[in-house]
Amino acid sequence: HRDSGAVVRCGCNASRARPFAIHWDNNDLYWDQDPSEQGFYTCPTSNCVSSGSGSITGITDFTTDTDNIYFSTMSSINLVPKPGTGLPTQLKNGSTNVIGIAVDTTSIYWIDIEGGGNGTLYSCTIASCASTLVPLVAIIHDPGGLVVSSDSIYYTSQSDGKVFRLAK
């Protein structure tokens, strides 16, 4: 869980302040970093000279697909087209404390800690997230990571020390 930060896309030879979460999309690396350099940055993996937008703040987690960067703030689910220099689109607002986000070809998944350290796993379709909200798992004790595959959703419960699988 990060209080705020930015997402950066660069080659392995790039140096940025305080990298944290990292994702790879088969072409480029993305990671979030120190809140003092907020926004999305991009560069080719072969010769990384970062450029990008510093206008997105408060990122708590992010993931990518072929065309977009999906990111969460404490209260919303958003997307911005790659490489992250455009204006973000808010897909869902009104969450309490989003700590994890994942995406597949049709849906977005996230964990919202709604108080007391427990979280709820939610999903919505990318095309109509505000109107298709589905709670998938009601109580996750002290949630941590989240990832999706073609047939499953995986999430962790830190206090239980377990990794759970939920079939799609």
Side-chain angles (χ1 to χ4, degrees):
H1 174 211
R2 288 147 312 282
D3 294 326
S4 63
V7 176
V8 177
R9 181 181 108 181
C10 272
C12 295
N13 61 352
S15 176
R16 303 300 293 185
R18 297 178 60 191
F20 195 79
I22 191 166
H23 297 274
W24 181 58
D25 71 357
N26 294 321
N27 294 304
D28 300 293
L29 288 173
Y30 295 78
W31 68 90
D32 65 343
Q33 67 176 31
D34 188 303
S36 66
E37 296 187 50
Q38 297 171 341
F40 294 96
Y41 298 82
T42 185
C43 69
T45 56
S46 59
N47 183 18
C48 188
V49 178
S50 294
S51 63
S53 168
S55 63
I56 301 169
T57 61
I59 298 166
T60 58
D61 197 13
F62 74 98
T63 191
T64 62
D65 69 7
T66 305
D67 300 317
N68 299 301
I69 300 170
Y70 299 84
F71 67 96
S72 60
T73 66
M74 288 188 76
S75 62
S76 65
I77 306 299
N78 313 273
L79 75 77
V80 64
K82 283 181 176 178
T85 54
L87 294 175
T89 300
Q90 188 176 81
L91 301 175
K92 172 74 176 89
N93 192 16
S95 296
T96 305
N97 187 12
V98 179
I99 62 157
I101 187 170
V103 66
D104 63 18
T105 57
T106 60
S107 299
I108 302 170
Y109 306 85
W110 69 94
I111 297 173
D112 190 355
I113 297 179
E114 298 159 336
N118 291 329
T120 301
L121 173 61
Y122 290 100
S123 174
C124 68
T125 59
I126 294 170
S128 58
C129 194
S131 63
T132 61
L133 181 65
V134 177
L136 299 174
V137 179
I139 298 176
I140 304 170
H141 299 287
D142 194 19
L146 173 65
V147 68
V148 297
S149 69
S150 61
D151 64 353
S152 301
I153 305 162
Y154 300 91
Y155 60 93
T156 63
S157 173
Q158 296 178 77
S159 61
D160 296 342
K162 296 180 180 177
V163 175
F164 294 92
R165 176 185 174 269
L166 177 65
K168 288 184 182 177

